[in-house]
Amino acid sequence: MISLPRTRLLSRLDAAIPLLLVEGGAGNHKFALLHDWTSLPGAEVRVAVDLDPRQQAHASISDQLRYQLQLAGVPVPADAVASTPGEIIAGPLERAVIGLDRPVALAVHRLDEIPAEVARALIDLAGRLPAFRVLATAVDGYALVGMAVAAGVGYQVIDDTLLAYTEAEVAELLARELPGADAGPGSVRAVLAATRGNPALVERTIELFGPEVIAGTVTREQAFWGWLPERNGPEPFRRALRTLAQAPRFSPALLHRMFGDERGDYLLERMRRQVGEFVTSPTPVFTWTPALRRQWRRWYAAQPVEQIEADRTWLAECAQATGDIELALLMLLGSHRLDQATQLAGDWLWELGRGAPQLLSEALSSLDPAVLAGRPVLLALLGRLGPSRGEPAADPGIAELQRTLLEGRVGGSTIAQLDRLAKVAVVALDTGEVGVAVRAAGKWAALAAVRAAEVAPALSPGLVSDAMLVAGTLFQLDRADLSLQLAAQFLPLLRRNPASTGGVEDTRAAALSALGTAASVLLGHSRADDRSPSADHLGHPLESVARAVQQTWDALDRDDLDAADAVTQVAFARLQEPADWPILVAHRIAVLVAVGRSDAAAEEFAQRVRPERWAAWQRHPEAPSWWAVLAELMLARSPGRAGVRSVPELAEAVRSLPRAALPRWCAGAREVVELLLLTRGPGEAAALASADAVLPGLPHRTRWNLGLLAALVRLRAGEDSAAVQTVLAGGGGLKQRSAPIALALAGRDEIDTLILMLPPSAPSPVRESLALALRYAGRPGGDQAGPRLAGRELEVLAGVRRGLTNAAIARELFVSVNTVKFHRTNLYRKLGANSRQELLAAALRLGL
């Protein structure tokens, strides 16, 4: 039987229009409408087709059209040679229409979803042949109308809202479908309010919710089911929705995994139009509206517990298969499968701890403390997601469990020890116990290195996750050397055993590589370039800090102080808690001091760094930060100290530290700090001797800057020759130019002296690196800046100041005379000089 809205629609169609569009929600009633239209009496041959939108091959679509035409009794001539998609589609159809003695009308379901070339060919054909027209349904006919306008084809669009049932029609339908029921005006109004009169929704709502319709209590959420096709009857889809109702969100990938591609696409399209919110960034995610979510909870609360747990287990399996680990863990916790949940959390702890999902945090907080006590990984994850990260849990029971874990014994096999140490390091860091955190992470790195033969065959997603967490913890707690060691050990294992990493699309390998690169650049083992992996996979704020450190040294090594300033400024501003990242604080201050803005450094520190957090984390009695000491030393020498300790106070604090309290101090760190603290007095010779002793075995960048500090001390003691020898010893490992940031606090005359006293045989990397320091002293205090001179220009200027000829300067710098002339011309232009005397006077005036 043709329903009233369909009859009304068919009566509105204009037989003289080549293209007829029925636009709106693509319910199954639309295809039924096309079949109803083909069965009406008329002079034309009507053919209804439902082309598969997934079929992109034009020849296959042409075959579908040919088959439907032949079923309708329209003979199709043999194919001619076709060279374009339009000819492939329209050619057979055009020859069939021309060869027939009656008009042909083609009814196409979902014309806007098939390939655009096919739709355009059919519309063009409707405009060319007076004996051919198209009736099409479309969810959104905008593109089809555009094709018709471009081709000059007349069209008629009937919106889906024009098909809505009236109150009289709903009353008639209720009387027919629910005979004997007392369905009054209240029932009619409830149905119209829930369905907005949509024919498919009205008919299905009455079919599925007869009692609620009669009572006038049917809701829009219930009417939603009316959109679902009855391929296997309504009950299988009700079961599917019952399962989905357990999840707070789901993605297209999850629907495809659970129901297959076709049914999954259909469900997603209908749900996003009716009862949910569809978020497309960073990945498509569908969430229930709050009202419907509450309805689902009431509904599935009445289901048997066994059924709910089975549904959640199935959801967990599908979510894990599609990479939604958070949802999988939520479902496992909800179904009380704690062993599986613990295993999953252990395998993916690094990924799960990078965000702050509220639902997962709530699910973990609701667990019995006795459950968490026996599962350290869940306790560690709860700390990662907690709102008070960096401090003990607000819940006394959880805080007690955290203390018990930190104070517990670590034993068992190598893998068991590594597992325990990783969880201790994570919980300690998240509760502010930085001393315990760095010692546990350091032990983890040492044990993994010593027992490498046992670690390699035991590689698993959980072990890789722990390695990522430990490497990040060490980087945050000033031990970039150990982060680099872990990256060097585990990266080859990850690349040889991708199935054991647990990561998706090599994100773990990429993240570990980025962290290792940042540590390597920081230590001077390698140089950043365009091919260096970025830290985009690490997760904020580790990502921001690691990338900033890498880019800062790249800029400093390139003699680009402006870029270094911009990089550190952005990273410093992005951090929610800068006090937790002394490595970035020290870099930011060093760059500002280098560009002559010490006052700005003190101001930024005072505004952005919480004193109580800085004191708790970076002046920790068991594990003070050496980067924090460097930062405070640079601030202590600048005007307007931002509440930091004075130089004497820092000296006393450092010299009173026992060796056991220095787990955050890498090789050479103490010597660097002590040389910065040096004054002319007792202990100077001992500190220099200690620096000389450790110098050869240090990483290149640490060795270079420690050598510069030692040279500066000797220079101030009048030992010029020894100072130069120390510079050469410190730069002995340099393979390329390396920024001498230690000289940011040196005077202009001291830097000039070190450069001028370098012997002609000094290695080129040492000479080029030392020349960068001229830029640090080249700006006066405050924000007043002179002309920007390149490093080579400063070297040429130094030669001119010494009275050297162009040829002598060329021999000293190992360049051609023409190169010297080029740089000398640039110097005259930048300093506004016309002679050597004017050049030197301008340089003296600007502090160059």
Side-chain angles (χ1 to χ4, degrees):
M1 176 185 295
I2 300 177
S3 67
L4 292 175
R6 293 178 194 163
T7 304
R8 187 190 313 128
L9 171 68
L10 297 176
S11 68
R12 292 173 57 88
L13 297 180
D14 188 341
I17 301 296
L19 176 63
L20 306 171
L21 290 176
V22 181
E23 184 184 51
N28 263 15
H29 69 291
K30 295 294 182 58
F31 194 42
L33 181 148
L34 299 183
H35 280 289
D36 291 340
W37 180 62
T38 60
S39 65
L40 290 176
E44 61 188 354
V45 177
R46 299 189 179 98
V47 183
V49 295
D50 186 10
L51 301 178
D52 187 351
R54 295 173 300 173
Q55 179 59 261
Q56 299 296 311
H58 299 95
S60 299
I61 295 177
S62 179
D63 290 341
Q64 293 183 51
L65 283 171
R66 181 192 302 275
Y67 177 70
Q68 295 293 340
L69 289 168
Q70 291 174 342
L71 286 181
V74 179
V76 181
D79 283 344
V81 177
S83 59
T84 66
E87 292 177 354
I88 295 174
I89 301 300
L93 186 55
E94 182 174 2
R95 290 190 293 275
V97 172
I98 293 175
L100 199 65
D101 58 356
R102 288 189 295 161
V104 174
L106 186 67
V108 185
H109 188 40
R110 297 179 298 179
L111 183 61
D112 58 332
E113 297 183 15
I114 64 177
E117 297 90 343
V118 177
R120 186 177 293 106
L122 294 177
I123 292 173
D124 289 345
L125 189 61
R128 293 201 319 269
L129 297 179
F132 176 70
R133 63 183 178 131
V134 174
L135 171 66
T137 65
V139 175
D140 183 357
Y142 179 80
L144 300 176
V145 169
M147 294 177 189
V149 171
V153 177
Y155 63 89
Q156 176 187 10
V157 179
I158 299 179
D159 190 86
D160 196 37
T161 57
L162 298 177
L163 304 180
Y165 275 112
T166 64
E167 289 189 13
E169 290 167 342
V170 171
E172 180 182 341
L173 187 62
L174 287 174
R176 186 174 70 229
E177 299 296 331
L178 302 174
D182 185 15
S187 302
V188 173
R189 287 193 296 270
V191 170
L192 288 174
T195 64
R196 296 181 181 176
N198 182 283
L201 284 178
V202 170
E203 295 168 9
R204 301 293 174 79
T205 299
I206 294 174
E207 175 187 354
L208 295 174
F209 302 103
E212 290 89 343
V213 168
I214 294 171
T217 60
V218 66
T219 65
R220 184 167 178 77
E221 288 80 6
Q222 291 172 317
F224 161 74
W225 280 317
W227 282 94
L228 301 177
E230 291 184 87
R231 298 175 186 175
N232 300 312
E235 184 55 30
F237 277 91
R238 294 184 65 174
R239 288 199 300 269
L241 287 179
R242 180 191 62 206
T243 302
L244 285 175
Q246 322 281 333
R249 66 159 198 277
F250 41 86
S251 63
L254 181 65
L255 288 175
H256 292 166
R257 179 79 181 187
M258 297 178 69
F259 304 111
D261 290 344
E262 182 180 0
R263 187 178 298 181
D265 285 341
Y266 191 91
L267 279 173
L268 183 63
E269 178 185 352
R270 295 301 163 253
M271 287 187 285
R272 67 183 290 186
R273 288 177 177 273
Q274 293 295 314
V275 294
E277 180 181 358
F278 192 75
V279 182
T280 58
S281 179
T283 55
V285 174
F286 177 90
T287 59
W288 301 107
T289 58
L292 189 55
R293 179 69 176 157
R294 290 192 296 270
Q295 174 68 23
W296 288 156
R297 287 176 176 174
R298 290 193 298 268
W299 181 55
Y300 71 66
Q303 302 298 315
V305 174
E306 298 79 6
Q307 183 62 55
I308 293 176
E309 292 186 356
D311 289 343
R312 289 176 176 173
T313 301
W314 183 36
L315 267 168
E317 293 173 358
C318 295
Q320 185 174 356
T322 56
D324 193 343
I325 304 303
E326 180 194 340
L327 179 59
L329 185 56
L330 272 172
M331 294 298 98
L332 289 175
L333 291 172
S335 61
H336 306 288
R337 299 183 182 276
L338 297 177
D339 290 339
Q340 295 181 37
T342 302
Q343 180 65 44
L344 185 67
D347 289 347
W348 294 86
L349 183 56
W350 177 69
E351 286 84 358
L352 290 167
R354 290 163 62 187
Q358 181 180 357
L359 291 174
L360 189 53
S361 179
E362 292 175 354
L364 291 168
S365 300
S366 66
L367 294 176
D368 191 316
V371 173
L372 294 174
R375 293 175 169 81
V377 64
L378 297 184
L379 184 64
L381 180 56
L382 179 59
R384 295 256 104 176
L385 305 177
S388 58
R389 190 170 178 182
E391 301 172 0
D395 186 311
I398 302 299
E400 180 60 31
L401 291 178
Q402 291 172 337
R403 284 193 297 272
T404 301
L405 176 65
L406 300 185
E407 296 169 359
R409 176 180 174 274
V410 176
S413 66
T414 298
I415 303 304
Q417 292 182 56
L418 290 174
D419 179 73
R420 185 78 173 189
L421 285 170
K423 307 311 179 289
V424 169
V426 169
V427 172
L429 185 65
D430 292 336
T431 56
E433 294 291 342
V434 293
V436 177
V438 71
R439 283 196 295 271
K443 290 179 181 177
W444 198 100
L447 183 61
V450 172
R451 305 285 178 82
E454 297 180 47
V455 170
L459 194 69
S460 66
L463 183 58
V464 174
S465 174
D466 286 348
M468 302 290 299
L469 289 165
V470 170
T473 298
L474 289 168
F475 191 89
Q476 181 175 358
L477 297 181
D478 306 349
R479 295 306 303 270
D481 55 331
L482 295 182
S483 293
L484 180 59
Q485 172 188 311
L486 286 178
Q489 178 179 351
F490 278 86
L491 270 175
L493 298 179
L494 265 65
R495 289 165 177 160
R496 289 198 299 266
N497 304 278
S500 301
T501 63
V504 179
E505 297 179 355
D506 298 325
T507 53
R508 287 185 169 183
L512 192 57
S513 177
L515 186 60
T517 299
S520 181
V521 170
L522 172 65
L523 297 172
H525 292 307
S526 62
R527 186 172 184 175
D529 55 39
D530 293 337
R531 294 168 296 176
S532 300
S534 68
D536 295 339
H537 301 287
L538 293 175
H540 187 76
L542 179 60
E543 170 191 324
S544 177
V545 175
R547 185 194 295 116
V549 168
Q550 179 177 327
Q551 293 177 346
T552 299
W553 282 111
D554 175 45
L556 291 174
D557 291 344
R558 287 187 288 104
D559 193 24
D560 192 344
L561 291 177
D562 288 339
D565 185 8
V567 166
T568 54
Q569 181 182 16
V570 171
F572 194 62
R574 283 179 176 174
L575 286 180
Q576 183 177 358
E577 193 62 77
D580 294 357
W581 297 91
I583 185 173
L584 183 61
V585 174
H587 278 73
R588 176 62 180 155
I589 294 172
V591 170
L592 288 174
V593 171
V595 299
R597 298 176 58 203
S598 299
D599 53 343
E603 183 179 349
E604 284 193 20
F605 185 87
Q607 291 178 349
R608 295 280 292 123
V609 177
R610 286 198 296 154
E612 63 277 7
R613 183 80 164 201
W614 182 264
W617 274 59
Q618 313 314 339
R619 300 177 188 171
H620 197 284
E622 296 180 8
S625 165
W626 82 283
W627 282 108
V629 174
L630 294 184
E632 291 191 56
L633 273 171
M634 287 184 283
L635 290 176
R637 294 176 182 270
S638 65
R641 296 197 308 269
V644 299
R645 292 170 287 184
S646 64
V647 173
E649 290 172 334
L650 286 167
E652 178 60 29
V654 171
R655 288 168 182 164
S656 63
L657 284 174
R659 288 287 177 181
L662 300 179
R664 295 175 66 177
W665 294 45
C666 59
R670 182 152 194 162
E671 287 75 15
V672 168
V673 171
E674 288 179 343
L675 288 180
L676 277 174
L677 289 166
L678 271 182
T679 58
R680 298 178 187 273
E684 179 176 317
L688 285 171
S690 175
D692 292 340
V694 302
L695 207 58
L698 297 178
H700 301 322
R701 199 180 297 278
T702 307
R703 176 181 174 179
W704 172 231
N705 283 282
L706 179 60
L708 292 174
L709 287 172
L712 189 59
V713 170
R714 289 189 164 112
L715 194 65
R716 291 174 178 176
E719 302 174 5
D720 294 6
S721 178
V724 172
Q725 293 304 314
T726 306
V727 169
L728 295 174
L734 295 180
K735 303 299 182 185
Q736 62 269 329
R737 189 167 59 180
S738 179
I741 198 66
L743 296 183
L745 300 176
R748 294 180 177 85
D749 56 339
E750 293 170 329
I751 296 173
D752 283 342
T753 299
L754 290 176
I755 291 176
L756 294 175
M757 292 186 64
L758 279 179
S761 60
S764 179
V766 173
R767 185 179 298 280
E768 293 178 3
S769 299
L770 195 58
L772 296 177
L774 290 170
R775 294 287 303 284
Y776 307 156
R779 291 186 177 188
D783 295 327
Q784 302 173 1
R788 299 299 303 273
L789 302 184
R792 187 66 80 184
E793 292 170 346
L794 291 169
E795 292 176 325
V796 171
L797 179 61
V800 173
R801 185 185 294 113
R802 290 157 55 201
L804 299 180
T805 64
N806 287 345
I809 296 174
R811 286 194 300 271
E812 189 172 281
L813 299 181
F814 299 99
V815 297
S816 69
V817 174
N818 286 336
T819 299
V820 174
K821 290 180 180 179
F822 171 78
H823 291 304
R824 194 161 180 166
T825 300
N826 284 340
L827 285 170
Y828 284 128
R829 176 178 55 81
K830 290 183 178 181
L831 300 185
N834 295 312
S835 65
R836 177 178 178 277
Q837 288 75 17
E838 290 183 9
L839 179 67
L840 293 178
L844 180 63
R845 185 173 60 254
L846 294 171
L848 297 173

